[in-house]
């Protein structure tokens, strides 16, 4: 889970580190991601299992995942890496609220309080983007968080749903849209090489996330997954000299307080 968080925290660096447009990034990231993940599925001998046993839950994950991935890359282009990563950190609490409403999984008082606190943090971050193009990026990041939360709940409700197969199909679905709206074949060879690295990173992150989630309780999985939130802004500062605004820092601290506090409570209760 730590490896997954570290790997995914580099997504903003790949996206902002090239001049290619968002759709071009989506295209090449998807191409190389499909190749790497397809090779992983074949190497594990799980081709039939990953694609024939998907069922309706697998297709739901595919479609929701595709919409989230398509939102994720433009979010980085439109707003700061810190904004995206910190808004993304509310995913575990959104998942808990969706599970409460859909699966009738009891949401504890600390989870509800944590969700309220985290969303207040999101509002603080978004308030700093009002009236500017950054607002669109913030909203796209929020949709990515909601999409991932929906996927988490689907896997919770249907635990036998494969992970790698829907991820590959999500990438494939995005390809024709990226080709139609972007101009990927006019991207320089050097940037294509960088985006090839992005595809490899995406595959590693997806695989380690899936494998880690199988071995840890849900609360610990959620807590470790948000390590991306503090890592991403630090990497953006070191590599791109991108400093978060004051409101982003304040909102981020509020979000992390709500998410970390609620998840630590869940871990303590499960240990009793």
């Amino acid at each position: 889970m730590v490896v997954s968080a570290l790997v995914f925290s580099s997504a903003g660096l790949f996206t902002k580190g090239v001049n290619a447009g968002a759709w071009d990034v989506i295209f090449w990231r998807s191409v190389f991601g499909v190749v790497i993940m397809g090779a992983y599925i074949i190497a594990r001998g799980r081709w039939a299992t990953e694609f024939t046993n998907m069922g309706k839950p697998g297709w739901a994950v595919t479609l929701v995942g595709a919409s989230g991935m398509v939102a994720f890359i433009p979010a980085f282009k439109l707003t700061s890496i810190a904004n995206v990563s910190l808004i993304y950190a509310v995913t575990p609490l959104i998942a808990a609220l969706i599970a409460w409403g859909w699966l009738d999984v009891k949401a504890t008082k600390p989870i509800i309080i944590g969700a309220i606190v985290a969303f207040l943090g999101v509002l603080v971050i978004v308030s700093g983007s009002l009236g500017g193009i950054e607002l669109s990026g913030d909203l796209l990041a929020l949709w990515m968080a909601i999409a991932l939360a929906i996927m988490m709940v689907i896997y919770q409700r249907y635990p036998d749903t494969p992970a790698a197969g829907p991820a590959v199909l999500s990438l494939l679905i995005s390809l024709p849209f990226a080709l139609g709206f972007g101009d990927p074949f006019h991207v320089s060879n050097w940037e294509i090489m960088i985006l090839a690295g992005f595809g490899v990173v995406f595959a590693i992150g997806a695989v380690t996330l899936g494998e880690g989630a199988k071995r840890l309780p849900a609360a610990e999985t959620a807590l470790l997954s948000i390590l991306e939130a503090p890592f991403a802004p630090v990497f953006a500062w070191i590599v791109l000299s991108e400093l978060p605004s004051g409101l982003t820092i304040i909102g981020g601290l509020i979000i992390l307080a709500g998410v970390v506090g609620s998840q630590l409570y869940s871990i303590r209760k499960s240990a009793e």
Side-chain angles (χ1 to χ4, degrees):
M1 288 302 302
V2 173
V3 170
S4 174
L6 282 170
V7 167
F8 278 133
S9 66
S10 67
L13 300 182
F14 282 102
T15 304
K16 287 199 165 183
V18 295
N19 292 320
W23 285 109
D24 301 330
V25 174
I26 291 170
F27 179 87
W28 289 113
R29 194 279 305 269
S30 298
V31 167
F32 291 108
V34 166
V35 171
I36 299 300
M37 294 196 72
Y40 170 78
I41 292 171
I42 293 172
R44 294 289 300 273
R46 297 171 58 179
W47 188 267
T49 302
E50 289 290 340
F51 292 104
T52 60
N53 294 340
M54 285 190 8
K56 292 181 179 179
W59 281 107
V61 169
T62 296
L63 296 175
V64 173
S67 70
M69 286 191 291
V70 167
F72 197 43
I73 300 304
F76 282 118
K77 292 288 190 181
L78 296 172
T79 192
S80 71
I81 292 175
N83 281 28
V84 175
S85 59
L86 291 169
I87 291 173
Y88 181 71
V90 303
T91 298
L93 295 181
I94 297 175
L97 295 178
I98 294 174
W100 181 26
W102 181 21
L103 307 182
D104 200 26
V105 175
K106 184 180 179 180
T108 63
K109 188 175 181 180
I111 290 292
I112 296 174
I113 294 174
I116 294 172
V117 171
F119 281 116
L120 287 175
V122 171
L123 290 177
V124 171
I125 292 176
V126 170
S127 69
S129 301
L130 293 177
I133 192 173
E134 293 87 358
L135 179 60
S136 298
D138 292 349
L139 294 177
L140 287 171
L142 182 58
W143 170 248
M144 175 60 191
I146 294 171
L148 183 58
I150 293 172
M151 291 165 61
M152 286 181 175
V153 176
I154 291 174
Y155 278 115
Q156 185 178 357
R157 175 65 177 83
Y158 304 100
D160 294 330
T161 303
V168 170
L169 290 177
S170 294
L171 293 172
L172 288 173
I173 287 174
S174 69
L175 281 174
F177 294 96
L179 190 59
F181 292 109
D183 193 13
F185 297 111
H186 282 83
V187 175
S188 69
N189 291 335
W190 172 244
E191 292 200 344
I192 289 176
M193 291 176 62
I194 294 175
L195 296 176
F198 193 7
V200 173
V201 162
F202 173 83
I204 293 173
V207 171
T208 53
L209 175 63
E211 294 299 326
K214 294 176 184 178
R215 293 167 169 79
L216 291 173
E220 290 184 44
T221 299
L223 184 60
L224 290 173
S225 70
I226 65 168
L227 283 173
E228 178 185 345
F231 283 145
V234 171
F235 291 157
W237 171 53
I238 293 173
V239 178
L240 302 177
S241 299
E242 182 180 286
L243 293 174
S245 68
L247 285 175
T248 295
I249 294 173
I250 294 171
L253 291 174
I254 294 173
I255 290 171
L256 292 178
V259 176
V260 173
S262 63
Q263 299 306 318
L264 287 177
Y265 175 85
S266 298
I267 292 173
R268 182 171 64 83
K269 292 296 290 184
S270 63
E272 293 179 354

